[in-house]
Amino acid sequence: MPVLPLEYAAEEMKPCRSRSALMERRSFLAALASAPAVLRAAQQRLPNIVLIYADDLGYGDVSANGARRIRTPHIDRLAREGVRFTHAHSPSATCTPSRYALLTGEYAWRRPGTGVLPGDAKLIIDPGRPTLPAMLHERGYRTGVVGKWHLGLGSGDLDWNGEIRPGPLELGFDYAFLIPATGDRVPCVYVENHRVVGLDPADLIRVSFKEPFPGEPLGSTHPQLLRMHPSHGHDMAIVNGISRIGYMTGGRKALWKDEDMADVITGKALQFLERHRQEPFFLYFSTHDIHVPRVPHPRFAGRSGMGPRGDAILQLDWCAGEILGALDRHGLARNTLVIFTSDNGPVVDDGYRDEAVEKLDGHRPAGAWRGGKYSNFEGGTRVPFLVRWPERVKSRAESGALVSQIDLFASLAALTGARLADAAAPDSFDILPALLGESKKGREYLVEHAGSLSLIMGRWKYVAPGKGPKINTNTNTELGNDPEPQLFDLERDPGEKTNVAARHPERVREMAALLAKIRGMAQTRP
Ligand code: NG6
Ligand code: CA
């Protein structure tokens, strides 16, 4: 990385005596003023930051974490060249609350309305409140989000044919290229900055999550039009031969093709890196893979032998490889902090008959952890988490420190020298030394969020009593709900097989009391 040392600039600014020296100094100052590149070069000491945020990828879905049926060489490269975490968590066991917490540094369960959102939801983060991208933007970063958003857009009753705001650009991102909600929810169009991409003004988009549009075929009424059938839900609007959640009409030229989605968003991510390679940048690359519907590009279809879910993992790995390749090509790899992780744990059948269950063949998407997406058990939030930054972070390292994505806000603030306002990032801890693999000490405790709240402290995990079902019969996930308190010793029993609450009533009381206290506080950040 070419760097103009600040010391060099300081040397040039020393008082100068001779006239020619004065001229020189003037011309230097003029050059400084007219050449922000000099300043930018000095700023380049701040690392670029790339967050690759996979969707529904389980701890055990990558070969770096022990998968054998599937190979993820590019993701594994991050583990080889950086730190692999074994006790890292998404803030929640589903997407929207995880992303809310990631960007605000606040536990989503403090805020009603942050559950999985429909595709026409309004933006759930107030513009003007401190966010991770806004903080980095203030530190001089170019900030971009490419891929899945799922935090709502607009302020209610959005007209998709006009200016789409507020959205990420009002939260501190300089650039946005979005899948507005999820691949399985309408509207099935991309939004670039404030506009739907490729919209034909003669064919306006309308979206509803209440009622169908007359004359539009649906998955439920026209199954013969489908090339992938739902297993549960997902029987409304048909787009690209696949029925989705929600109703939509119009916008035909703007509709995405599922099989091109990885190429399209990866292309946009690479453009962003290229455009900003001379200045510090933050890229939040939020993949659609491996969420449903899993319709990978033909060059990946059938490649894994595990059906579309496995093929989507290969495609995701390719996306990660493209990003790493671009960093190499532009000479940016050494001073770029790359974080790879997932928004929640894995799910096999999430609503389409795509052979994921039939072709699992011994593969364990959650690895050794019990449950998965939606679950209180560790499979819900214990996700792959890899950190690479060759300039500072050791390679081939492993860390069992307790870390959460909610901590990225405060930790990256510490890294970039940002001062957080008192009310900012209320539940985000600065655990930078742990994230960089320099310390084994992460968080002392963490609140996990699925159907119930759980508290992890050291080796113990307390799960608050909850009324929900034990099993999600659609996805066949063990949810870990129980009307009685549960206590697990994660050191002895990482698979959470034995509830030892009855043996440790005192500990259960203490942990329940601490969880209640945390719930009552507006902020846990010291
Ligand atoms: C559920 C969907 C599921 C998925 C999930 C959100 C049904 C029956 N299931 O409601 O398919 O879309 O929401 O996933 O509709 S997430 O990763 O974005 O949280
Ligand atoms: Ca998800």
Side-chain angles (χ1 to χ4, degrees):
M1 177 73 42
V3 168
L4 175 72
L6 282 173
E7 304 79 59
Y8 177 70
E11 184 61 28
E12 287 291 286
M13 306 293 269
K14 276 181 189 159
C16 27
R17 288 182 200 103
S18 73
R19 196 181 140 79
S20 71
L22 195 64
M23 293 299 287
E24 245 169 54
R25 184 187 154 189
R26 278 208 186 117
S27 67
F28 175 77
L29 287 176
L32 199 61
S34 69
V38 176
L39 287 176
R40 279 205 304 270
Q43 274 177 350
Q44 275 290 10
R45 292 155 168 259
L46 290 178
N48 306 305
I49 302 168
V50 175
L51 171 60
I52 305 177
Y53 209 52
D55 199 350
D56 295 2
L57 185 75
Y59 185 94
D61 278 326
V62 296
S63 35
N65 283 346
R68 288 291 160 263
R69 286 278 285 111
I70 194 129
R71 291 266 144 222
T72 51
H74 298 293
I75 296 167
D76 294 4
R77 178 181 167 200
L78 288 170
R80 215 169 43 244
E81 298 177 357
V83 192
R84 184 177 74 90
F85 288 82
T86 57
H87 203 350
H89 294 259
S90 58
S92 297
T94 50
C95 162
T96 301
S98 279
R99 289 159 200 258
Y100 175 89
L102 169 75
L103 295 189
T104 63
E106 178 180 52
Y107 286 129
W109 46 262
R110 293 195 191 286
R111 300 273 172 172
T114 56
V116 173
L117 293 177
D120 62 349
K122 63 179 185 185
L123 180 64
I124 57 168
I125 301 175
D126 287 339
R129 79 172 282 178
T131 64
L132 171 63
M135 177 274 291
L136 291 172
H137 186 266
E138 272 167 38
R139 297 304 296 152
Y141 279 79
R142 287 294 161 168
T143 53
V145 50
V146 175
K148 178 173 173 177
W149 178 241
H150 212 187
L151 291 166
L153 291 167
S155 7
D157 213 3
L158 181 70
D159 176 4
W160 293 90
N161 307 290
E163 281 239 307
I164 296 168
R165 65 160 79 204
L169 266 49
E170 287 66 43
L171 296 177
F173 284 107
D174 295 309
Y175 174 72
F177 187 91
L178 308 177
I179 297 159
T182 61
D184 59 346
R185 280 175 178 73
V186 301
C188 300
V189 293
Y190 301 113
V191 171
E192 191 165 30
N193 296 325
H194 290 130
R195 296 265 168 199
V196 167
V197 179
L199 184 66
D200 174 0
D203 184 26
L204 298 181
I205 296 178
R206 278 181 299 151
V207 170
S208 169
F209 278 74
K210 291 202 189 81
E211 50 200 6
F213 295 97
E216 289 289 347
L218 305 176
S220 57
T221 57
H222 293 70
Q224 70 279 11
L225 298 181
L226 300 179
R227 58 182 170 134
M228 185 185 261
H229 291 262
S231 56
H232 54 270
H234 303 96
D235 61 356
M236 295 163 238
I238 301 177
V239 174
N240 198 21
I242 299 160
S243 48
R244 322 267 166 164
I245 308 171
Y247 306 102
M248 164 175 195
T249 186
R252 262 158 292 236
K253 284 193 184 145
L255 296 175
W256 67 49
K257 269 192 79 188
D258 303 78
E259 36 281 86
D260 294 338
M261 193 177 265
D263 286 346
V264 169
I265 62 173
T266 304
K268 291 290 171 184
L270 296 193
Q271 267 175 17
F272 178 84
L273 296 182
E274 200 149 306
R275 213 178 302 137
H276 300 295
R277 63 183 186 277
Q278 310 273 25
E279 48 202 342
F281 58 79
F282 166 55
L283 170 65
Y284 169 34
F285 180 48
S286 171
T287 71
H288 160 67
D289 289 317
I290 61 168
H291 199 280
V292 297
R294 303 168 185 131
V295 191
H297 190 271
R299 68 187 188 278
F300 298 105
R303 280 262 316 280
S304 68
M306 294 176 68
R309 186 176 187 278
D311 302 340
I313 295 176
L314 298 183
Q315 180 166 273
L316 168 71
D317 187 61
W318 172 84
C319 296
E322 288 298 291
I323 301 282
L324 299 184
L327 295 176
D328 290 337
R329 239 182 359 266
H330 298 308
L332 297 170
R334 281 202 63 74
N335 197 32
T336 299
L337 169 63
V338 179
I339 301 165
F340 176 91
T341 185
S342 173
D343 68 340
N344 50 251
V347 56
V348 183
D349 176 352
D350 206 16
Y352 291 94
R353 284 192 259 143
D354 64 3
E355 300 186 288
V357 176
E358 296 83 339
K359 295 199 166 164
L360 211 50
D361 192 21
H363 173 69
R364 298 177 70 190
W369 318 118
R370 189 173 179 183
K373 181 178 181 178
Y374 311 114
S375 173
N376 296 326
F377 292 126
E378 287 297 280
T381 67
R382 203 181 293 210
V383 287
F385 196 96
L386 307 168
V387 173
R388 184 191 80 166
W389 178 14
E391 208 144 272
R392 173 114 176 234
V393 168
K394 277 198 300 244
S395 59
R396 293 182 190 279
E398 191 187 301
S399 172
L402 176 61
V403 304
S404 167
Q405 293 158 6
I406 203 170
D407 300 320
L408 289 178
F409 196 150
S411 303
L412 295 178
L415 175 68
T416 57
R419 213 194 71 78
L420 293 181
D422 287 347
D427 298 301
S428 182
F429 291 2
D430 169 11
I431 51 160
L432 186 63
L435 285 177
L436 299 182
E438 291 163 0
S439 163
K440 292 281 170 213
K441 202 172 151 318
R443 287 181 151 257
E444 262 161 37
Y445 68 90
L446 175 68
V447 179
E448 287 183 34
H449 172 220
S452 290
L453 296 184
S454 307
L455 179 67
I456 291 200
M457 262 188 107
R459 66 197 290 183
W460 299 103
K461 171 168 167 182
Y462 163 77
V463 186
K467 291 197 198 78
K470 294 224 186 251
I471 294 197
N472 178 332
T473 48
N474 284 332
T475 60
N476 200 20
T477 309
E478 292 187 289
L479 296 174
N481 295 315
D482 199 303
E484 297 299 319
Q486 299 174 83
L487 183 74
F488 298 104
D489 179 345
L490 292 178
E491 222 161 75
R492 281 212 182 146
D493 177 24
E496 295 169 286
K497 292 286 179 217
T498 313
N499 177 7
V500 294
R503 261 182 263 159
H504 302 273
E506 192 50 30
R507 186 170 303 281
V508 168
R509 253 194 307 279
E510 270 172 31
M511 291 184 79
L514 180 57
L515 181 57
K517 189 174 155 206
I518 294 167
R519 289 186 75 145
M521 297 160 72
Q523 154 152 13
T524 50
R525 184 163 63 81

